Amino acid sequence: MTKSLPAGFLWGNSVSSMQTEGAWDEGGKGPSVYDIREASEFASDWKVATDSYHRYAEDFDLMQDLGMNCYRFQIAWSRVCPQGDGEFNDEGIAFYDRFINDLLARGIEPMVCLYHFDMPLALAQKYNGFTDRHVMEAFVRYGKKMIDCFGDRVKYWLTFNEQNIYHMPEAFKVGGYLEGEKTLRELYQISHHVMMAHVRLTHYLHDTKPGQLMGGMLAHQLIYPATCKPQDIFCAQQYDEFLNQNLLRVYAGQGYSPAVMAVVEREGFQDIFRDEDLEEIARVKNDYMAFSYYASKTLDSDAIPDGTPVNYYLLHGDKNNPFLKATEWNWQIDPLGFRTIITRYYNDWRLPVFPIENGIGVIESWDGVNPIDDQYRIEYHREHLQAMKDAIFEDGAQVIGYLGWGLIDILSSQGDMRKRYGVVYVNRENHDLKDLKRVPKKSYAWFKRVIHSNGDEM
């Protein structure tokens, strides 16, 4: 017998502003760090993206037709506060006011993410991004303003997209860092300042908008040991502790992991982690646990040089898993890993779980006439949705909803339009904008049946 998902289950879509909005110099927007990135052979610039600034109503209509009842989007910091720490831009705030109202008019729950890697350029240039506490304080000021403006209509909030990335080497790409030696100390500065911003805004939302919910989000790195060799298992567990569990412990009210704080003491980073900061962190607790998931990883300890910080293990020890198929970008497809994460989150933390990014990126082209036959996308989502249902009905997990990543094609995080995730094709390439027409793929009709049946018909 088919088991129906809970009433009120949220089905929807996730995007970031820099990958969708375009309008990089319109409406009083200031420049962000992405606006100065130049195009390359396999990457577009960010000036137009999919032009959702002008075309979002068309995209909302497609979401409504699909049956989506939730949309996670990012507010572009430099659109509402062009310098990052200066005057707010009324025109930018008015844009998101209309944006939210137009979602609600279609019965779609808005979910706001405050930061998705595109720092106002002025802050990055002057302070080198989140290495400086001033940027953390500027972000808190901006976040409080957005909560004041939209907290009456937005129930679900996130501070940072994939917050554990700020404790990985990728932090220097996404934390507004423009120049320097990229030291371990700076990595810990970035990660702690980001966490402090998250903590302060969580307290602010709870204090000023009772009933509205703040989540913490990871790019969950599910790491398998390459073998049953004890050193492989130990290194995989260490990586999980530093890059996943450390943040989850804070979200659940436990504070930083003792293993991470042992490194802080050993390396002499205590001045970064102020006593008053740790007191604030000890008092925070999120309302739900959110994560993105696309693929799992496998770690070979033999490839990790002695003395390598845990945060850098995957740079050396990443190994293909012979038991899994992979995409064109070598992301290994692992639906059981999706179930594993959902089940463990709920078992460990007893907070509602919300997977808010999941999908498969594939190179696709449209012949101008026929819908793209993307059976592979149907299979990917079917297998992951079934894994989620197994976590709910077999393992007892409480899950809020399921948001696919970029269900309308967008630029990838590297600016590559070839990597398409959507059930709707957007007619543009990296260097040819064409007409930006939205064209449903074969998977669109399948996803529509799934959503309208609340997951019964897959």
Side-chain angles (χ1 to χ4, degrees):
M1 188 174 87
T2 301
K3 294 182 178 179
S4 297
L5 289 164
F9 192 82
L10 296 178
W11 294 94
N13 189 15
S14 282
V15 299
S16 78
S17 65
M18 88 271 189
Q19 293 168 276
T20 56
E21 276 185 10
W24 70 286
D25 61 350
E26 296 183 45
K29 181 182 178 296
S32 85
V33 291
Y34 275 80
D35 294 330
I36 62 171
R37 294 189 179 185
E38 297 181 356
S40 62
E41 181 181 4
F42 295 122
S44 171
D45 63 31
W46 300 86
K47 292 180 170 56
V48 175
T50 56
D51 196 31
S52 72
Y53 184 84
H54 300 106
R55 299 169 183 251
Y56 75 78
E58 180 183 355
D59 294 340
F60 288 1
D61 288 343
L62 286 165
M63 294 177 208
Q64 183 180 26
D65 179 65
L66 273 168
M68 291 182 182
N69 58 2
C70 186
Y71 183 51
R72 181 187 73 129
F73 65 95
Q74 174 218 353
I75 292 174
W77 187 355
S78 61
R79 189 174 296 285
V80 297
C81 188
Q83 299 301 306
D85 59 355
E87 295 294 320
F88 285 98
N89 174 29
D90 290 340
E91 189 173 354
I93 293 172
F95 167 75
Y96 290 112
D97 192 71
R98 295 191 301 272
F99 194 94
I100 290 168
N101 287 341
D102 287 349
L103 282 171
L104 291 169
R106 291 167 173 81
I108 301 172
E109 185 92 51
M111 180 183 190
V112 165
C113 177
L114 292 169
Y115 186 78
H116 199 123
F117 311 153
D118 60 340
M119 181 173 291
L121 182 61
L123 291 181
Q125 290 176 329
K126 188 173 182 180
Y127 298 102
N128 216 19
F130 279 110
T131 58
D132 196 300
R133 284 185 74 98
H134 177 83
V135 174
M136 176 267 285
E137 291 161 355
F139 180 81
V140 171
R141 172 178 174 267
Y142 144 69
K144 287 180 176 179
K145 178 72 171 180
M146 296 303 98
I147 290 170
D148 291 345
C149 290
F150 308 125
D152 60 327
R153 285 160 288 163
V154 176
K155 179 178 181 180
Y156 293 97
W157 291 81
L158 290 169
T159 49
F160 294 93
N161 178 69
E162 300 179 326
Q163 190 179 331
N164 56 336
I165 288 180
Y166 301 94
H167 211 193
M168 303 176 191
E170 289 87 343
F172 297 109
K173 297 179 182 178
V174 300
Y177 187 96
L178 292 184
E179 58 182 20
E181 297 180 6
K182 300 180 181 178
T183 64
L184 186 66
R185 178 182 176 84
E186 288 176 314
L187 182 62
Y188 273 73
Q189 284 177 318
I190 292 170
S191 64
H192 178 63
H193 294 160
V194 166
M195 181 58 82
M196 282 307 303
H198 169 79
V199 165
R200 290 184 179 179
L201 288 172
T202 301
H203 287 312
Y204 187 77
L205 182 71
H206 289 164
D207 290 345
T208 63
K209 305 294 180 183
Q212 309 301 58
L213 306 179
M214 180 67 82
M217 181 195 176
L218 305 188
H220 196 96
Q221 300 270 292
L222 182 63
I223 306 294
Y224 299 121
T227 71
C228 58
K229 183 171 60 179
Q231 186 67 14
D232 282 351
I233 296 169
F234 178 70
C235 286
Q237 289 176 340
Q238 274 193 308
Y239 191 86
D240 178 57
E241 185 63 43
F242 275 65
L243 276 304
N244 296 322
Q245 304 308 317
N246 180 48
L247 279 82
L248 296 173
R249 293 185 196 286
V250 175
Y251 298 157
Q254 294 185 358
Y256 286 128
S257 165
V260 172
M261 295 309 293
V263 171
V264 169
E265 183 174 357
R266 185 168 66 246
E267 297 289 340
F269 298 161
Q270 296 97 321
D271 59 307
I272 300 171
F273 295 75
R274 300 178 181 179
D275 289 344
E276 60 268 29
D277 293 352
L278 298 179
E279 290 173 5
E280 283 189 71
I281 286 172
R283 294 186 290 105
V284 80
K285 189 168 185 179
N286 287 158
D287 302 297
Y288 61 95
M289 298 291 202
F291 67 94
S292 63
Y293 178 80
Y294 300 92
S296 59
K297 297 279 189 178
T298 301
L299 191 66
D300 177 7
S301 64
D302 287 342
I304 302 171
D306 291 343
T308 299
V310 176
N311 313 67
Y312 296 90
Y313 278 3
L314 209 57
L315 290 179
H316 304 283
D318 189 10
K319 183 176 183 178
N320 287 338
N321 189 326
F323 300 101
L324 297 175
K325 295 180 181 179
T327 70
E328 291 156 295
W329 276 267
N330 201 37
W331 289 23
Q332 298 201 275
I333 300 169
D334 183 10
L336 186 58
F338 192 46
R339 175 180 176 178
T340 299
I341 295 170
I342 295 170
T343 300
R344 185 176 179 192
Y345 272 35
Y346 196 66
N347 281 345
D348 286 355
W349 311 113
R350 310 298 169 88
L351 291 170
V353 183
F354 202 167
I356 59 173
E357 287 186 27
N358 178 237
I360 182 171
V362 180
I363 295 175
E364 295 170 326
S365 59
W366 179 47
D367 64 8
V369 180
N370 300 299
I372 291 171
D373 185 354
D374 58 341
Q375 184 65 31
Y376 42 82
R377 182 167 289 108
I378 293 172
E379 292 171 0
Y380 179 96
H381 281 288
R382 179 190 290 125
E383 291 173 358
H384 284 76
L385 287 169
Q386 185 59 55
M388 178 188 70
K389 292 176 75 173
D390 290 343
I392 295 169
F393 297 118
E394 301 296 329
D395 305 335
Q398 181 183 343
V399 178
I400 294 172
Y402 174 90
L403 307 187
W405 174 251
L407 293 178
I408 297 172
D409 283 346
I410 62 177
L411 288 175
S412 78
S413 59
Q414 304 303 314
D416 192 349
M417 198 66 200
R418 297 175 308 151
K419 191 177 187 181
R420 295 177 181 269
Y421 286 88
V423 300
V424 175
Y425 185 86
V426 174
N427 192 35
R428 66 152 290 182
E429 305 294 344
N430 277 329
H431 309 301
D432 182 357
L433 293 178
K434 298 187 176 180
D435 60 4
L436 292 162
K437 183 178 180 179
R438 275 63 167 158
V439 185
K441 305 173 189 177
K442 179 181 177 181
S443 58
Y444 181 95
W446 175 83
F447 226 103
K448 185 174 180 177
R449 290 197 303 275
V450 171
I451 295 175
H452 282 272
S453 69
N454 202 27
D456 286 351
E457 297 180 21
M458 296 203 302

